[in-house]
Amino acid sequence: MKLSTGYVRASGYAHKVRRVLFALVRRRVEPKEVVRAAGELNQRIFDRLVEMKVDKADVIRVTVPFSIRDGQIVWDYENLEIEVYRREEEENLARAMEEVEARERELEERIKEVEEVALRLKELSEELLERIERLKEEHTSLKIKAEE
Amino acid sequence: MKLSTGYVRASGYAHKVRRVLFALVRRRVEPKEVVRAAGELNQRIFDRLVEMKVDKADVIRVTVPFSIRDGQIVWDYENLEIEVYRREEEENLARAMEEVEARERELEERIKEVEEVALRLKELSEELLERIERLKEEHTSLKIKAEE
Amino acid sequence: MKLSTGYVRASGYAHKVRRVLFALVRRRVEPKEVVRAAGELNQRIFDRLVEMKVDKADVIRVTVPFSIRDGQIVWDYENLEIEVYRREEEENLARAMEEVEARERELEERIKEVEEVALRLKELSEELLERIERLKEEHTSLKIKAEE
Amino acid sequence: MKLSTGYVRASGYAHKVRRVLFALVRRRVEPKEVVRAAGELNQRIFDRLVEMKVDKADVIRVTVPFSIRDGQIVWDYENLEIEVYRREEEENLARAMEEVEARERELEERIKEVEEVALRLKELSEELLERIERLKEEHTSLKIKAEE
């Protein structure tokens, strides 16, 4: 298997690596391992970006083969490739990727709002069940939780 | 403290004891202990009803003092009192209590239906959060569960 | 068809008439008509109770035949029967029915609580859909409400 | 005010116009009007893209001033500007924008899933209220909908 970040601003490669990895290995690797493996790879990439003096406004593209062994992601660092598109040479690309990043932040705001309401919904559905439980305890012969 | 079942058909005393006890000791005694203590008392009442040859269609009234010690209900069996109203002597009372029992069964049907929908609501709110989590994992930099 | 209230305290006959009627004609008569028909019958019963000098603590039993014509409930007042059990003669019955009434008030408290949470759940599920709509409007090409 | 699409593939400009417009005029313009105004502008842009022989894989950037009068969006077509970046000249930009489009389609899949669950949640919360209403009608004296 091979992870490919696609074009991404150097400032945002770490998140992109993780997102792409999540989509690639869903149902085959545990989320915790995805987070760990992404973190490990991101450290490597970071070191290389520093070496290459990549600026956060430059655009990069990372590809790296990997395998899954016993539920673990093993990176083939030998074949890690990082292409760099310097801002001064690829101005439009750099600006376009900057816009993409800005849109993502707005998207995240919206998703955070949706999640907050969903969390309140879950809490409320739990409160509902508690109240129904009390109704059952005090007014019915229905099987209650304390009997389970 | 004192538990009093009020008028109840002999057939339904056990449930009545538990319901009344739940209402009386809420927030002071754990549900499991309420169930246990009700079960213990009900066994005692049952033995006495057998002794007194009480029929399930007779109406009874049970009162018994109790105390709460270290979260446990301790029945004062010395002062357990059971009044019996035989069906043949209190025909209207017996019939009225039979009706009450029948209504309760219908009420339980309705409450069971409400509970079923509430349970599905809770499951669905959990499924919603899972799908939002996937959305976050694959498309955002928001904090995800695997990072906690 | 025949409506029968069963034993009920004179103080609570009106609610009992309505509840029993709702259960009897569900899906055949509109709720508004159930409320109207119950109100009409209750007025009649009330007049008779006044005539008979029935006290609110007495227990009564009302039966009345009725038919449904074009979705309307038509009471056969000719055959309206009201049995009265005076408190002084049927003391246990009167007390038992008083207890039943008190338990019902507690039940109503619990059901009101459940309903309040259910209403908040519905509101929240609507808020959730609004936020998802905004997410769709600003970040996707998915079909939105304004296009319908 | 001024709408600016940012960099976008020619194939996807219409959706981008609408999304950006929604974010810009939220709470000041009705959704239906946003949809209408976006449609109107998109037709103009389309005609110009045809004139300029823009390919769907080319990247464009559209800016156009507008004003809001009586809740309506009025485009200042005189000042409509369309920049075109041909694929052959800006290869990396074109590919990057293609990736962005592909990611958006995946995002939409996830959002659609979230919405479906949210819709089922709303339906279920309505079913819950109906069942509680029946419980109230048949077992309580609480105010019911048919009385409102």
Side-chain angles (χ1 to χ4, degrees):
Chain A
M1 299 180 79
K2 194 175 190 173
L3 176 136
S4 174
T5 61
Y7 294 89
V8 64
R9 279 191 106 206
S11 62
Y13 78 89
H15 288 304
K16 192 71 179 288
V17 159
R18 195 168 83 180
R19 287 179 218 168
V20 170
L21 189 58
F22 260 114
L24 270 178
V25 302
R26 180 158 299 278
R27 266 184 278 277
R28 270 172 299 168
V29 175
E30 289 296 304
K32 290 243 177 250
E33 169 60 9
V34 175
V35 169
R36 187 209 59 78
E40 185 196 307
L41 175 60
N42 282 329
Q43 186 55 51
R44 257 325 154 102
I45 297 170
F46 180 77
D47 295 341
R48 294 272 290 268
L49 295 181
V50 171
E51 270 171 46
M52 295 190 277
K53 296 197 164 55
V54 172
D55 186 78
K56 71 178 173 46
D58 295 340
V59 173
I60 63 171
R61 217 153 57 140
V62 180
T63 53
V64 54
F66 68 95
S67 52
I68 302 173
R69 284 186 218 146
D70 305 326
Q72 288 227 307
I73 288 162
V74 183
W75 301 109
D76 173 9
Y77 289 119
E78 298 292 306
N79 292 296
L80 168 62
E81 272 175 51
I82 303 179
E83 293 166 56
V84 182
Y85 306 90
R86 306 282 172 183
R87 181 177 197 122
E88 43 275 29
E89 284 153 34
E90 286 273 6
E91 231 175 295
N92 286 312
L93 177 64
R95 269 195 226 133
M97 289 298 99
E98 208 177 325
E99 282 173 19
V100 167
E101 219 179 63
R103 291 286 292 165
E104 272 168 8
R105 279 194 296 270
E106 287 161 31
L107 172 68
E108 286 176 3
E109 274 311 299
R110 298 287 85 74
I111 290 176
K112 221 159 74 182
E113 283 170 14
V114 168
E115 191 186 26
E116 277 158 20
V117 182
L119 281 166
R120 280 197 281 144
L121 258 169
K122 181 158 169 279
E123 279 169 25
L124 214 49
S125 71
E126 279 160 5
E127 188 184 333
L128 180 71
L129 284 170
E130 274 167 39
R131 288 181 192 269
I132 291 171
E133 189 67 15
R134 182 170 178 190
L135 180 56
K136 284 167 66 186
E137 287 171 352
E138 297 182 8
H139 292 279
T140 78
S141 316
L142 295 170
K143 202 175 178 196
I144 57 175
K145 287 212 187 88
E147 286 179 292
E148 277 163 16
Chain B
M1 298 180 79
K2 194 175 190 173
L3 177 138
S4 174
T5 62
Y7 295 89
V8 63
R9 279 191 104 207
S11 62
Y13 78 89
H15 287 304
K16 192 72 181 283
V17 159
R18 196 169 81 178
R19 288 180 220 169
V20 170
L21 188 58
F22 260 114
L24 270 178
V25 303
R26 180 159 299 277
R27 266 184 278 274
R28 270 172 301 169
V29 175
E30 288 297 303
K32 290 239 176 252
E33 168 61 10
V34 175
V35 169
R36 187 209 59 78
E40 185 196 306
L41 174 61
N42 282 331
Q43 185 56 51
R44 256 327 153 99
I45 297 170
F46 180 78
D47 295 342
R48 293 273 289 270
L49 295 180
V50 170
E51 270 170 46
M52 295 190 277
K53 294 194 165 59
V54 172
D55 185 78
K56 71 179 169 49
D58 295 340
V59 173
I60 64 172
R61 217 153 56 140
V62 180
T63 52
V64 53
F66 69 95
S67 51
I68 302 173
R69 284 185 218 145
D70 305 326
Q72 287 228 306
I73 289 163
V74 183
W75 301 109
D76 174 8
Y77 289 120
E78 296 292 305
N79 291 297
L80 168 61
E81 271 175 52
I82 303 179
E83 294 167 56
V84 181
Y85 307 88
R86 306 281 174 184
R87 174 168 205 129
E88 43 273 28
E89 284 154 32
E90 286 273 7
E91 232 175 293
N92 286 312
L93 177 64
R95 269 196 225 131
M97 289 297 99
E98 207 177 326
E99 283 173 17
V100 167
E101 218 179 66
R103 290 286 293 165
E104 272 168 8
R105 279 193 297 270
E106 287 162 30
L107 172 69
E108 286 175 2
E109 274 310 300
R110 299 286 84 76
I111 290 176
K112 221 157 74 181
E113 282 170 14
V114 168
E115 191 187 26
E116 278 159 18
V117 182
L119 281 166
R120 280 196 281 144
L121 258 169
K122 181 159 172 280
E123 279 168 25
L124 215 49
S125 70
E126 280 160 3
E127 189 185 332
L128 180 71
L129 284 169
E130 275 168 38
R131 287 181 192 268
I132 291 171
E133 188 67 13
R134 182 170 177 191
L135 181 55
K136 286 168 64 186
E137 287 171 352
E138 298 182 6
H139 293 278
T140 79
S141 316
L142 296 170
K143 202 175 179 195
I144 56 174
K145 284 209 189 88
E147 286 179 294
E148 279 163 15
Chain C
M1 298 179 80
K2 196 176 188 172
L3 177 137
S4 175
T5 60
Y7 295 89
V8 63
R9 279 190 105 206
S11 62
Y13 78 89
H15 286 303
K16 192 73 180 282
V17 158
R18 196 169 82 179
R19 287 179 221 171
V20 170
L21 189 58
F22 260 114
L24 270 178
V25 302
R26 180 159 299 276
R27 266 185 277 275
R28 271 171 299 170
V29 175
E30 288 296 304
K32 290 242 176 249
E33 169 61 9
V34 174
V35 169
R36 187 211 60 79
E40 185 196 307
L41 175 61
N42 281 330
Q43 186 55 52
R44 259 325 155 99
I45 298 170
F46 180 77
D47 295 342
R48 293 274 289 271
L49 295 181
V50 171
E51 270 170 46
M52 293 190 279
K53 296 196 164 58
V54 172
D55 186 78
K56 71 178 171 50
D58 295 341
V59 173
I60 64 172
R61 216 153 57 143
V62 180
T63 53
V64 54
F66 68 96
S67 52
I68 301 172
R69 283 185 219 147
D70 304 327
Q72 288 229 304
I73 289 163
V74 183
W75 301 110
D76 174 8
Y77 289 119
E78 296 293 305
N79 291 297
L80 169 61
E81 272 175 51
I82 302 179
E83 294 167 56
V84 182
Y85 307 89
R86 306 282 173 182
R87 173 165 206 133
E88 44 274 28
E89 284 153 33
E90 286 273 7
E91 231 175 295
N92 287 312
L93 177 64
R95 268 194 228 134
M97 290 298 99
E98 207 177 324
E99 283 173 17
V100 167
E101 220 179 62
R103 290 285 292 165
E104 272 168 8
R105 279 194 296 270
E106 287 163 30
L107 171 68
E108 286 176 3
E109 273 311 300
R110 298 286 85 74
I111 291 176
K112 221 158 74 182
E113 283 170 14
V114 168
E115 192 187 25
E116 277 158 19
V117 181
L119 282 167
R120 280 197 281 144
L121 258 170
K122 181 160 169 279
E123 279 168 25
L124 214 49
S125 71
E126 280 160 3
E127 189 185 332
L128 180 70
L129 284 170
E130 275 167 39
R131 287 182 191 267
I132 291 171
E133 188 68 12
R134 181 169 178 191
L135 181 55
K136 285 168 65 187
E137 288 170 353
E138 298 182 7
H139 293 278
T140 78
S141 316
L142 295 170
K143 204 177 175 192
I144 56 174
K145 284 208 190 89
E147 286 180 294
E148 278 163 14
Chain D
M1 298 179 79
K2 194 175 190 172
L3 177 136
S4 174
T5 61
Y7 295 88
V8 63
R9 278 191 107 208
S11 62
Y13 78 89
H15 287 305
K16 192 70 180 287
V17 159
R18 194 168 83 180
R19 288 179 217 167
V20 170
L21 189 58
F22 259 115
L24 270 178
V25 302
R26 181 159 298 278
R27 268 184 277 275
R28 271 172 299 167
V29 175
E30 288 297 304
K32 290 241 178 251
E33 169 59 10
V34 175
V35 170
R36 188 209 59 77
E40 186 196 306
L41 174 61
N42 282 330
Q43 186 56 51
R44 256 328 152 102
I45 297 170
F46 180 77
D47 295 342
R48 295 272 290 269
L49 295 180
V50 171
E51 271 171 47
M52 295 189 279
K53 296 195 164 58
V54 172
D55 185 78
K56 70 177 172 47
D58 294 340
V59 173
I60 62 172
R61 217 154 55 142
V62 180
T63 52
V64 54
F66 69 95
S67 52
I68 302 172
R69 285 185 217 144
D70 305 326
Q72 287 227 306
I73 288 162
V74 183
W75 301 109
D76 174 7
Y77 289 119
E78 298 292 307
N79 292 297
L80 169 61
E81 272 174 53
I82 303 179
E83 293 166 56
V84 182
Y85 306 90
R86 306 281 172 184
R87 185 182 192 116
E88 43 274 29
E89 284 153 34
E90 286 273 4
E91 232 176 295
N92 287 313
L93 177 64
R95 269 195 225 133
M97 290 297 100
E98 207 177 326
E99 282 173 18
V100 167
E101 217 178 66
R103 290 287 292 166
E104 273 168 8
R105 279 193 298 272
E106 288 162 29
L107 171 68
E108 287 176 3
E109 273 312 299
R110 299 286 86 74
I111 291 177
K112 220 159 75 183
E113 283 170 14
V114 168
E115 190 185 27
E116 277 158 20
V117 182
L119 282 166
R120 281 196 281 144
L121 258 169
K122 180 156 171 281
E123 279 168 26
L124 213 50
S125 71
E126 279 160 6
E127 188 184 331
L128 180 71
L129 284 169
E130 275 168 39
R131 287 182 192 267
I132 291 171
E133 188 68 14
R134 181 170 178 189
L135 180 56
K136 285 168 65 187
E137 287 170 353
E138 297 183 7
H139 293 279
T140 78
S141 316
L142 295 171
K143 201 173 178 197
I144 57 175
K145 285 209 189 90
E147 286 179 293
E148 277 163 18

